Amino acid sequence: MSLSLIPLAGAQVASVYVDLGNNQLQATSPDAFGHYWNNLTQEQPSGLSNLVADDGWGTGISLSLTGTIAFNPYGVATSGSEQPDLAALGGLAVAQATRDWIVVTGSQVVNVTLGNLPPDGTYRLSLFASRDSDQRRVTQYTVTGLTTATQLLQTSGTGIGINPQPNANRSGLAVFDNLLPTAAGSLVISVRRNEGDAGYLGAIRLELMNAANFPPAATAVRTAGSGRVGSPLVGRYLYSDRENDPEGASTCFWERAATVSSTPVRVSESNSGVLSYVPSASDQGAFYRFGVIPKASVGRAEGSVVYSPWSGPIVSAGTFTSFHIGSSYTQWANMPQQLKNLSASRGVPVATGWQVTSGRDSRYHWENGLSGSIGAGTYSRHELQSGSWDAVVLQPYNTEWQSWQINQILDYGKRFYGLAEPNGAQFYLYAAWPSRSQSLSVQTSINAAFETIRSSISVGGSRPALIIPAGEAFRVVIQEAANGYLKSFNINHSMDRESLYLDELHQTDLGAYVSALTHYATIMKRSPVGLPPQALDAYFYNDNPVSFSPTLAARIQELVWWVVANYPNSGVSESVSKPVDPLTPPPETTPPPVYASHSGTTVDPSLLKLAFGASADGITAAAENLPHVIAPTVSGKIEIEYVINPEAETQQVSFTPEWSADLVQWTKTQPASTVITRTNQTVRISWPYSSSWRFMRVYVSKQ
């Protein structure tokens, strides 16, 4: 859909502020002067499509970077100015902007292009950079529009600042006056090293010195849909214009490409507000994106083209699709991916999506489901309206079933159901379990509460909501363990309720496997008996593969199927008797290793830097955070440790340990008695020194 942002009629731009540097040190908006900032970081290194003015309204001006780009983080000993001179810098005197920078070395050149400027405007550019060093460093800036001008700026050197940073620039600026853009509306800032070993650019102020008409802008360009052949993809964007010029016939189009780095092909285009595209069989396997060229009906007519991120690949028409909304019960053990993996083991393709944020309730998910802040995934309210999902799973927060908060889930559950069910999806509630300190008997109250929620939100719908009885399955497994029936099936002959809780609320790997099996049995309407004894771990966002005793897994699968088949309103109704515990358990078998195959595996320095954090040079990964051998805390063990960059988790980077006996074949199957622990961002893995698997690596990938 297209939405409009309406600024003050006739408003003009005073200034545009840009902070270039690391994402951990972004200029806040508004700042102490009331100005709004644009932050260009390693998260969007190619640029920004719609710069906001200092009053917060969009301008339609674009900023792009080309060349060898290094985003240098703020460091205690290597920062820029922490005390910028207000009298000299004015609005640029914001410490978050003056501390960090992009850096060029050697003969490198970075070009910063300001595009889509009103060509009838006259501009002033103020450029700032600072580095705390006694080495004299000078940066050369060349600005090219209708004319070309060059200036030098000393960014560091003995005595150019004040204590406690006497060697950091705090007041010097490179100022370019009376700049005229090209006829196409562009100014290019070329950044080079002039003296010393590096050149820098930390902050930009662009000022319009006369009245001019600004172009329209498209922001929040996104797509929704499962990406399945025959199911609609839907685009969405926000339209704005600085002078309140109304939207005209904006061009909306879809592109596909074999890979996200290959040349795209435009497959659909509309100037009449058509935002959807239905992939055909010829699109299968391709990636796709949505693009908008915003157009105003009066004033300056056309803005810059803006694209959604790439999505894909397009899956076959026979693929089952499910979308999941929830908090940590859904996110930590990655229930969508577990459902996908379990189904794939039986040759049934599943495509999944999610909107997840740990520690948040249904109200939060609803209010942020169009364009708000979410932890990971895509916007649920846009997705559910696309009509391309077969199943929608809502996980209420762990307190919403209780009497003091149930009215909230009755309200927001009804809203989500009202979007999903009319658009063709079967709606499910992912039912919870008691906390570790509560009695198992509390599960009866939880089940009753979920039935109340299910029946209430289903009123008026053609397909009532169903329940994924994960809590009930969890209770049955715990009871079987307490009765001793599962002990002989467990590989270390020790299993109780405590071993199934990671903490007060969350499940361990095995407990999460119970929930994953329950999802599979309920949604796919098939017995989970015979599924692989493998899963993903339940530790935050790691998604490491874990394995269980095959006989234990088989017994749990039987119990889960018995629960689902007999649970009211699971949608599964079969005559299944509770499995009888055999007098003699079947013999233990060791599963064969699953060997890893990574086609075209390469070392990607930028991905390593994202995964493990940047080193002091801002270019390579921090060596101390990479996987390395440490002194074992238990004799006879091999222990490996690595540190995860927090930013990697927000960008869905996965870390998969793999083992080898010969450095040729690598397996994801963990050696017996492997222990994986995590403390904050530090992961430690240990396994017996006597194991044949003597080598380990961590395979890093980004979704």
Side-chain angles (χ1 to χ4, degrees), residues 380-402:
S380 58
R381 289 167 63 184
H382 191 199
E383 293 287 356
L384 270 55
Q385 293 179 79
S386 71
S388 68
W389 299 101
D390 296 317
V392 170
V393 180
L394 174 64
Q395 177 233 308
Y397 189 56
N398 63 285
T399 59
E400 288 189 299
W401 62 269
Q402 299 182 36

Side-chain angles (χ1 to χ4, degrees), residues 199-211:
Y200 305 93
L201 178 60
I204 300 172
R205 178 173 57 212
L206 172 71
E207 298 171 271
L208 174 67
M209 309 308 292
N210 63 337

Side-chain angles (χ1 to χ4, degrees), residues 139-356:
T139 303
Q140 175 181 313
Y141 305 110
T142 301
V143 178
T144 303
L146 285 182
T147 58
T148 299
T150 296
Q151 291 196 37
L152 302 178
L153 176 67
Q154 183 179 352
T155 59
S156 69
T158 303
I160 69 169
I162 61 172
N163 287 326
Q165 293 179 296
N167 303 325
N169 173 38
R170 63 185 295 264
S171 59
L173 283 173
V175 180
F176 296 80
D177 274 311
N178 300 315
L179 295 172
L180 300 176
T182 65
S186 68
L187 290 170
V188 179
I189 307 165
S190 298
V191 185
R192 295 176 173 85
R193 177 190 63 85
N194 183 268
E195 286 187 51
D197 59 12
Y200 305 93
L201 178 60
I204 300 172
R205 178 173 57 212
L206 172 71
E207 298 171 271
L208 174 67
M209 309 308 292
N210 63 337
N213 186 271
F214 277 79
T219 57
V221 180
R222 305 185 184 99
T223 65
S226 60
R228 174 176 59 187
V229 170
S231 295
L233 298 169
V234 181
R236 179 174 180 266
Y237 66 96
L238 298 175
Y239 171 89
S240 64
D241 186 274
R242 185 76 195 174
E243 292 77 29
N244 200 15
D245 296 333
E247 185 174 12
S250 296
T251 299
C252 301
F253 57 91
W254 292 86
E255 293 182 344
R256 75 179 183 198
T259 67
V260 297
S261 59
S262 58
T263 303
V265 175
R266 191 166 297 188
V267 294
S268 174
E269 182 175 314
S270 171
N271 294 317
S272 57
V274 177
L275 304 178
S276 62
Y277 174 68
V278 179
S280 65
S282 62
D283 295 314
Q284 186 171 328
F287 291 81
Y288 60 89
R289 69 180 178 183
F290 175 63
V292 180
I293 303 174
K295 296 180 181 178
S297 58
V298 295
R300 189 167 176 212
E302 187 170 302
S304 297
V305 61
V306 185
Y307 298 96
S308 72
W310 283 104
S311 299
I314 299 291
V315 298
S316 66
T319 301
F320 184 87
T321 61
S322 66
F323 192 85
H324 303 249
I325 307 161
S327 57
S328 54
Y329 290 176
T330 299
Q331 184 179 24
W332 285 16
N334 200 339
M335 284 297 144
Q337 187 62 45
Q338 301 236 45
L339 174 66
K340 188 174 181 178
N341 292 349
L342 292 171
S343 297
S345 71
R346 285 188 169 161
V348 178
V350 171
T352 61
W354 68 2
Q355 177 186 302
V356 287

Side-chain angles (χ1 to χ4, degrees), residues 36-81:
Y36 286 77
W37 281 78
N38 303 272
N39 288 281
L40 186 72
T41 72
Q42 68 269 37
E43 290 185 349
Q44 60 278 88
S46 60
L48 302 167
S49 62
N50 179 26
L51 300 181
V52 298
D54 60 350
D55 60 4
W57 288 106
T59 64
I61 298 171
S62 63
L63 184 150
S64 61
L65 267 68
T66 56
T68 305
I69 304 166
F71 287 86
N72 201 307
Y74 162 66
V76 174
T78 57
S79 69
S81 176

Side-chain angles (χ1 to χ4, degrees), residues 120-157:
D120 54 344
T122 301
Y123 301 90
R124 174 189 292 146
L125 267 175
S126 301
L127 308 178
F128 178 85
S130 176
R131 175 70 190 271
D132 187 10
S133 171
D134 59 4
Q135 181 186 120
R136 176 180 169 85
R137 293 173 177 167
V138 178
T139 303
Q140 175 181 313
Y141 305 110
T142 301
V143 178
T144 303
L146 285 182
T147 58
T148 299
T150 296
Q151 291 196 37
L152 302 178
L153 176 67
Q154 183 179 352
T155 59
S156 69

Side-chain angles (χ1 to χ4, degrees), residues 633-649:
T633 55
V634 178
S635 62
K637 293 277 190 177
I638 301 174
E639 293 200 15
I640 303 290
E641 186 176 274
Y642 61 92
V643 179
I644 296 174
N645 180 14
E647 184 62 31
E649 297 182 323

Side-chain angles (χ1 to χ4, degrees), residues 489-554:
F489 289 85
N490 197 22
I491 197 165
N492 60 5
H493 302 288
S494 176
M495 181 176 172
D496 54 21
R497 182 181 180 187
E498 290 294 308
S499 68
L500 292 168
Y501 280 88
L502 181 64
D503 52 31
E504 176 66 8
L505 298 173
H506 301 93
Q507 299 169 320
T508 59
D509 298 345
L510 186 60
Y513 182 59
V514 174
S515 288
L517 292 172
T518 312
H519 274 71
Y520 173 86
T522 307
I523 295 173
M524 305 309 293
K525 308 290 188 287
R526 295 185 62 179
S527 169
V529 176
L531 288 173
Q534 283 96 35
L536 300 177
D537 69 22
Y539 293 84
F540 304 97
Y541 320 112
N542 293 339
D543 285 355
N544 292 322
V546 294
S547 299
F548 310 111
S549 159
T551 50
L552 172 65

